[in-house]
């Protein structure tokens, strides 16, 4: 069980977003100065030269899941560093273009204990990003094992 946070709303990160034309935006994280570009995907009139806004949503889900997992199991930090998450985003066009499904594969090192593995499915829906997704967005989660450092699965 994750620790409960106060229910009051708090102001968090502020972003500065500038539309640069050609279906591209420049996003700056004001606290750190880090920047990224977005571009509309090729199937929606863009060039696909960078992340689309819905790519960032998919990335947010995967990174949030791993961050919450690391917060929940700090003693597993070294093992979790070798975890890989692949997110496949599926869109629908009717009645409006929107995210339909995230297919998520979490590939954990073989040495990660069973209780950590079984916690991932429960955590997926209660991460900040998972809890913020619309009810119509399906999450298909699969946990796999990567090869151990000694070559065993």
């Amino acid at each position: 069980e994750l620790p409960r946070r106060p229910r009051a709303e708090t102001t968090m990160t502020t972003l500065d977003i500038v539309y640069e034309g050609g279906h591209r935006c420049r996003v700056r994280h004001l606290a750190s100065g880090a920047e990224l570009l977005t571009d509309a995907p090729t199937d929606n009139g863009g060039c696909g030269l960078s992340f689309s806004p819905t790519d960032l949503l998919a990335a947010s889900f995967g990174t949030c899941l791993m961050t919450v997992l690391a917060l929940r199991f700090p003693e597993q930090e070294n093992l979790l560093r070798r975890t890989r998450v692949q997110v496949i985003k599926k869109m629908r066009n009717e009645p409006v273009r929107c995210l339909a499904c995230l297919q998520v594969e979490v590939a954990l090192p073989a040495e990660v204990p069973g209780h950590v593995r079984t916690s991932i499915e429960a955590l997926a829906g209660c991460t900040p990003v998972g809890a913020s997704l619309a009810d119509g967005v399906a999450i298909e989660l699969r946990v796999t094992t990567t090869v151990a450092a000694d070559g065993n699965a």
Side-chain angles (χ1 to χ4, degrees):
E1 177 99 9
L2 292 175
R4 295 285 177 202
R5 303 270 190 235
R7 287 190 162 266
E9 291 181 12
T10 56
T11 301
M12 301 297 287
T13 301
T14 302
L15 304 170
D16 183 48
I17 302 168
V18 176
Y19 180 70
E20 296 191 338
H23 307 120
R24 289 182 198 88
C25 291
R26 179 173 303 279
V27 182
R28 187 165 56 97
H29 180 259
L30 295 179
S32 67
E35 290 189 349
L36 61 85
L37 294 173
T38 65
D39 189 12
T42 56
D43 70 336
N44 200 28
C47 295
L49 297 175
S50 190
F51 300 102
S52 73
T54 53
D55 288 344
L56 294 178
L57 183 66
S60 293
F61 181 84
T63 58
C64 192
L65 179 61
M66 283 310 305
T67 301
V68 169
L69 190 64
L71 288 168
R72 175 71 174 89
F73 298 103
E75 72 281 3
Q76 302 298 326
E77 176 74 18
N78 287 333
L79 290 176
L80 291 174
R81 283 185 187 172
R82 293 186 287 132
T83 299
R84 296 185 65 92
V85 179
Q86 181 181 43
V87 182
I88 298 172
K89 171 188 79 169
K90 297 198 173 220
M91 301 291 291
R92 75 169 147 252
N93 290 316
E94 299 294 331
V96 295
R97 185 172 171 84
C98 65
L99 187 64
C101 176
L102 294 175
Q103 294 176 327
V104 182
E105 180 178 336
V106 180
L108 292 167
E111 302 90 348
V112 172
H115 71 282
V116 175
R117 293 172 186 285
T118 56
S119 295
I120 294 175
E121 286 189 34
L123 290 175
C126 62
T127 65
V129 174
S132 299
L133 292 173
D135 288 338
V137 178
I139 304 296
E140 298 174 3
L141 185 65
R142 188 168 75 120
V143 179
T144 62
T145 300
T146 59
V147 175
D150 64 6
N152 295 315

